[in-house]
Amino acid sequence: MRMQGGVGNVGVLVLAGLLVLVIGGCVCVVWASRGGPRWVRGVAAVTLVVGGLVHAFAKSNRRRSVNRSGGGGD
């Protein structure tokens, strides 16, 4: 039982780390749009590419789920 609590804590830490990365990336995008240093523009570019990939992945998953649930024209 005690081990499951440890796994939950690790999950929370991973999600918190992911949230920090997302917020940091958004801050860099805004800062780069206002003329930040070179490293900020690099982080912003990576953030925008990853965001585009996530958007495309989510869009393709939505299309697949619509194709599976729709199309039953009995």
Side-chain angles (χ1 to χ4, degrees):
M1 260 338 231
R2 191 173 186 107
M3 187 177 275
Q4 288 177 349
V7 172
N9 290 339
V10 171
V12 169
L13 286 175
V14 168
L15 287 175
L18 186 62
L19 182 62
V20 167
L21 287 174
V22 168
I23 291 171
C26 292
V27 168
C28 286
V29 168
V30 171
W31 190 5
S33 71
R34 297 172 188 243
R38 181 181 291 171
W39 69 268
V40 170
R41 292 191 300 267
V43 172
V46 170
T47 301
L48 291 173
V49 168
V50 170
L53 291 173
V54 168
H55 181 261
F57 179 73
K59 192 174 180 181
S60 71
N61 277 349
R62 271 181 284 176
R63 194 176 311 127
R64 277 192 215 130
S65 69
V66 167
N67 286 343
R68 286 182 188 158
S69 64
D74 288 1

